[in-house]
Amino acid sequence: MYKFFLYSMLMIIYLGLAKALSPSEIGVHYLQNERGFAKLAKGPIVTFILVDTHATGFLIKTYYQKYRVITGYDTVEEMIVRTSKEFARKNLPHIGLSLYRKTDEKEEFLPLPPGSLYLGNREFGDWKKNKKGEVRWVFHKSFKNFPKYLGWGDFRPTEAFYQELRSSVSLNHPFYGLKNEFGPQGKITQENFPHFFKDERMKKVELKTLLIEYFKENF
C-alpha cells in the first residue's frame, strides 16, 4: 500500500513539473515533419534555417524548434514551432542548416548550408574574383545584409563550394560544407548561432537527482 501511495505521489510530481515547465502553446504552430513547412511558408521565395531546438517536461516531453525565416527579398523573422519527437531528433545533426527552401518552381527539403537557395541566382548576386584571384559569391548591394541573416560571418562561398553542393543535391545527401563548416560540429554554425551551444544548454540533470533534491526540500 505504501509503495502504491509513493508511486502515485511520484506520478503527480512528474506531471506537475512537466506542466509547469512547458511554455504556453497559444499561437505556436505544430510541425510534424518537413511537409508541414509549406503551410508556414509565406511568399514565393522562402528559406527556413534551424537555429535552435529543445525539449520541455519530464515524464511528458514537448519538443520545440526555432527557425530563422527569410521571406521574399528582405524580410527576416524568428519562428518557434512545436514538433514531433521524431522530427526534432532527426534534425539534431542539422542545427544551422536550411531545412526548407521554396521558389515559384519547387520545394526542397534536403538539409543544406543557409543561403544555398540564392547561390547561382543572378537576381540576388554574382560570382566575382577577389584580389587573391578567388572566385566567390557576392550578393548585390540591395541584399548586402543577407550574409548576416544567413549566419555566414566572414564566410563567402567559392565556386568549388557551389559545385560540391550541387553534387550532394544530385545524390540527395545533406551537405555541411567543403570542410564541414556548417552543422552542430561546424565552426561557422557555432560562431553565428551560439545560443544552442551555451554550456548550460549542454548540461544534463538526471531525474533521480531531481527527485532526491525534491524530497530533501519537502519531506
Side-chain angles (χ1 to χ4, degrees):
M1 185 67 179
Y2 174 75
K3 289 184 178 180
F4 176 78
F5 173 76
L6 181 59
Y7 178 76
S8 299
M9 288 296 297
L10 290 176
M11 287 292 291
I12 293 173
I13 293 169
Y14 279 147
L15 293 174
L17 288 173
K19 183 176 179 61
L21 295 178
S22 294
S24 172
E25 295 177 9
I26 298 177
V28 177
H29 295 285
Y30 179 68
L31 187 66
Q32 183 173 4
N33 54 46
E34 59 272 9
R35 294 295 171 182
F37 281 118
K39 294 182 179 179
L40 305 179
K42 301 176 182 178
I45 301 176
V46 61
T47 180
F48 280 68
I49 303 166
L50 179 62
V51 300
D52 201 359
T53 183
H54 70 281
T56 62
F58 288 90
L59 185 63
I60 303 175
K61 287 188 176 295
T62 305
Y63 296 84
Y64 294 88
Q65 292 176 327
K66 183 177 182 180
Y67 289 91
R68 180 170 297 173
V69 186
I70 304 176
T71 304
Y73 297 94
D74 201 24
T75 302
V76 183
E77 65 174 321
E78 303 283 338
M79 179 184 294
I80 295 176
V81 299
R82 186 168 61 88
T83 74
S84 65
K85 174 182 177 181
E86 294 74 19
F87 190 69
R89 291 190 172 182
K90 170 185 174 182
N91 286 296
L92 276 175
H94 303 146
I95 296 293
L97 299 183
S98 169
L99 300 191
Y100 177 77
R101 296 163 300 283
K102 175 190 173 185
T103 63
D104 287 324
E105 294 80 20
K106 60 181 178 179
E107 293 179 301
E108 297 179 347
F109 303 96
L110 187 67
L112 297 175
S116 300
L117 174 68
Y118 310 107
L119 297 184
N121 186 339
R122 285 185 165 79
E123 185 176 355
F124 292 91
D126 209 343
W127 298 103
K128 294 184 179 180
K129 185 178 293 187
N130 60 21
K131 295 180 180 180
K132 297 180 180 180
E134 303 169 323
V135 179
R136 294 183 179 274
W137 179 258
V138 178
F139 281 107
H140 297 319
K141 288 185 179 179
S142 53
F143 308 112
K144 62 181 180 180
N145 290 322
F146 267 36
K148 179 178 67 175
Y149 298 157
L150 297 168
W152 279 3
D154 296 327
F155 169 81
R156 298 296 181 271
T158 62
E159 284 188 318
F161 178 95
Y162 181 53
Q163 293 303 322
E164 191 63 30
L165 183 150
R166 293 182 62 183
S167 176
S168 292
V169 170
S170 67
L171 297 172
N172 198 37
H173 289 166
F175 181 58
Y176 299 90
L178 293 175
K179 298 180 180 180
N180 291 322
E181 306 98 322
F182 296 93
Q185 306 303 320
K187 182 179 179 181
I188 294 176
T189 295
Q190 292 178 9
E191 289 179 349
N192 293 282
F193 298 112
H195 186 263
F196 178 77
F197 303 96
K198 288 183 178 179
D199 290 341
E200 57 267 28
R201 291 289 306 279
M202 310 308 287
K203 293 179 181 179
K204 295 183 178 180
V205 180
E206 293 184 358
L207 189 56
K208 178 180 178 181
T209 303
L210 290 175
L211 287 175
I212 291 174
E213 292 299 322
Y214 180 85
F215 280 108
K216 281 183 179 179
E217 296 176 2
N218 295 278
F219 292 93

